[in-house]
Amino acid sequence: MTAVVELQGITKAYGALTALDDVSLVVPHGTVHGLVGENGAGKSTLMKVLYGMVRPDSGELRIDGRPLRAGSTPAARAAGVGMVHQHFAQAESMSVLENLALASSDSGPRARPLDLRAVGRRAAEVAAGLGFELELRARIGRLSVGARQRVEIVKALQAGAQVLILDEPTAVLAPREIEELIRTIRLLAASGTAVVFVSHKLNEVVAACDEITVLRRGRVVGRSDARRTTPSEIARIMTGEEPGVLPSRDTEPGEPVLQVRDVSAKSNFGVVAVNAVSLDVRAAEIVGIAAIEGNGQDELIDVLTGLRRHTGGSVAIDGTDVTGLEPRAIRARGLAHVPADRLTTGTAPTLSIADNLAATNYLAESRWRLLRRGVMRRQAAESIVAFDVRGAAPLGAIGRLSGGNMQKVVIARETAKRPRVLVVAHPTRGVDLKAIDRIHRHILALRDAGTAVLLLSSELDELLALSDRVIVMFRGRVVADLTAAEAEAAEIGEFMTGARAASEVSDAR
């Protein structure tokens, strides 16, 4: 097969940090190429080079044998390179068709009126070729994450992409949506499109890809035929180490710390999202929440952390009613929160790492209402070392970090002083293997020290590995409360999809 992507000797440095060191990558037509590595390994930088967002210091780029002008996204798009980012660039209040039209529209004095019907017909044709339909009139903000991702894929293909970069495409998808995405990727490859699949989820990389390239600290350290390798082998190449085993529990759960009684709440669109949910989380216990995107779990977390008004019910911490309090007041009662969206909720991207680490505790970091900058810098430096935050400096803007390294900073901040309750959503989304192990051990250590942990994750393996109990939400209600030691992923999946009713829980035990 002929190569459509040829990157030769790509090098990029940011001051003393070499992000890419003589990296080469070749992707043939009609293949799926996996790109894996730890946070800070250079994956994102390499893809930004290919998409024209970053100009390399040296190296050559070719698309279909023709030189590609470096550092120009318009040139990359014109050459047939498309990219679906982890965070979608979409106008949520507009329809699918209007979003597609925005991406298709020309600007400038010679721009012609856009034919919306033609845009819709073309989008429907592209989607049909990939085995799905688009709800063109649906408001995009009301779609599932998987459906919104399909819109982004169609958007890129409409623009003529013959090379499609997928950046952490399964990070926010439910299991069924992941299967659908992999099926779509294989159809893309069968049609001749080259796909670059960037991910930390090695099982999915092996399932979806033809060939895999492994980066470590900016260099290529391995290439594998996906059919002749295993996730464990790739993990060893990525990290240079054998996977660790999580420690077993050495404490027993205590009395309830977080008590939720009949809590209800509405979504941003005014419909009931949380419907009379009750649950307890005891001291030294991890309770996991399993749910497919859009079943009320995010709204429930928002209510518990003070980010959303409830319409009924109550929330208590250690017997003290915190229902309806502002986030700061709830934090003062001992609750810490790792949000699902680290970019817009968990961090202030333009501020320094030191400022972000102190953001929830500025008063403690001040004297006579003046911030103690030296103390903040020293504590930030300690956190950077403790959590292995790659490419970070205390005074550097947190927004310049990769998503996984940004997540490490959020985890460090929220767990610095052992909270009574830790509400954590998707703690290892977009995080590398070593960091996943480090974060898992940190959460387990907090539990063993007496913290009550409420864990939301789209990864069933993660929920089962960390949780003592797993509750399942479907259409805003708790439909199952299972002991993690006895529950199986398939059983949880049946409750998540509504294939199994809540009344069957007692029959199953």
Side-chain angles (χ1 to χ4, degrees), residues 132-152:
F132 59 80
E133 295 182 2
L134 287 179
E135 300 178 60
L136 292 173
R137 297 189 181 279
R139 184 183 298 178
I140 207 158
R142 295 190 175 185
L143 298 180
S144 70
V145 177
R148 293 176 64 172
Q149 185 180 69
R150 290 193 288 271
V151 173
E152 291 299 288

Side-chain angles (χ1 to χ4, degrees), residues 3 14 46 100 103 164 167 192 208-209 216 260 285 290 304 312 318 367 389 394 435 441 479 504:
Y14 297 94
L46 185 63
L100 293 170
L164 186 61
D167 181 21
C209 298
R216 189 197 303 163
V260 180
E285 180 183 45
L304 300 183
D318 281 326
R367 178 176 294 173
V389 184
R441 291 174 184 275
V479 295
E504 297 181 48

Side-chain angles (χ1 to χ4, degrees), residues 69-382:
R69 181 158 60 95
S72 170
T73 296
R77 287 175 176 165
V81 181
M83 186 168 183
V84 176
H85 298 272
Q86 185 176 349
H87 302 285
F88 308 141
Q90 296 174 335
E92 295 191 7
S93 62
M94 301 177 71
S95 70
V96 170
L97 179 58
E98 288 166 334
N99 272 270
L100 293 170
L102 282 174
S104 305
S105 62
D106 296 322
S107 59
R110 297 184 180 180
R112 292 178 297 179
L114 195 64
D115 185 342
L116 284 177
R117 290 184 178 179
V119 171
R121 283 195 300 270
R122 171 62 179 150
E125 291 171 1
V126 171
L130 296 175
F132 59 80
E133 295 182 2
L134 287 179
E135 300 178 60
L136 292 173
R137 297 189 181 279
R139 184 183 298 178
I140 207 158
R142 295 190 175 185
L143 298 180
S144 70
V145 177
R148 293 176 64 172
Q149 185 180 69
R150 290 193 288 271
V151 173
E152 291 299 288
I153 292 173
V154 170
K155 187 189 298 183
L157 296 177
Q158 271 191 313
Q162 58 176 328
V163 178
L164 186 61
I165 303 166
L166 299 178
D167 181 21
E168 296 288 351
T170 64
V172 295
L173 300 184
R176 185 175 59 186
E177 291 177 320
I178 292 171
E179 294 174 3
E180 292 172 354
L181 175 64
I182 291 176
R183 187 163 54 247
T184 298
I185 290 171
R186 298 310 311 176
L187 285 171
L188 277 170
S191 70
T193 303
V195 179
V196 183
F197 187 99
V198 184
S199 180
H200 289 104
K201 298 184 178 181
L202 301 186
N203 288 328
E204 292 155 19
V205 171
V206 170
C209 298
D210 300 297
E211 189 176 9
I212 301 166
T213 293
V214 183
L215 295 180
R216 189 197 303 163
R217 297 189 181 275
R219 295 186 65 88
V220 175
V221 294
R223 299 188 197 277
S224 303
D225 183 331
R227 293 166 297 183
R228 295 182 173 86
T229 191
T230 65
S232 296
E233 290 173 357
I234 298 171
R236 282 193 292 272
I237 297 171
M238 281 174 56
T239 65
E241 301 174 0
E242 294 288 337
V245 178
L246 291 175
S248 58
R249 165 186 281 282
D250 59 9
T251 58
E252 291 299 322
E255 295 299 315
V257 177
L258 177 66
Q259 295 175 295
V260 180
R261 294 291 177 268
D262 296 321
V263 164
S264 296
K266 293 183 178 180
S267 72
N268 293 340
F269 302 104
V271 299
V272 175
V274 182
N275 194 344
V277 166
S278 296
L279 61 92
D280 284 343
V281 186
R282 296 174 291 175
E285 180 183 45
I286 299 177
V287 175
I289 300 177
I292 293 174
E293 188 77 20
N295 277 275
Q297 67 272 38
D298 295 325
E299 289 84 357
L300 174 63
I301 296 296
D302 285 350
V303 170
L304 300 183
T305 56
L307 297 175
R308 181 181 300 272
R309 291 188 176 184
H310 70 298
T311 57
S314 64
V315 180
I317 296 176
D318 281 326
T320 300
D321 190 358
V322 297
T323 312
L325 296 183
E326 294 294 319
R328 180 180 295 181
I330 296 176
R331 282 182 173 275
R333 302 299 195 279
L335 182 141
H337 177 211
V338 177
D341 189 345
R342 58 190 169 230
L343 192 63
T344 59
T345 308
T347 62
T350 60
L351 295 184
S352 70
I353 293 172
D355 279 318
N356 273 274
L357 284 167
T360 59
N361 204 26
Y362 267 128
L363 290 178
E365 305 297 346
S366 64
R367 178 176 294 173
W368 301 303
R369 297 190 177 273
L370 296 176
L371 292 176
R372 296 184 292 173
R373 291 289 182 182
V375 174
M376 290 168 57
R377 286 195 296 271
R378 186 179 70 252
Q379 292 177 345
E382 292 171 355

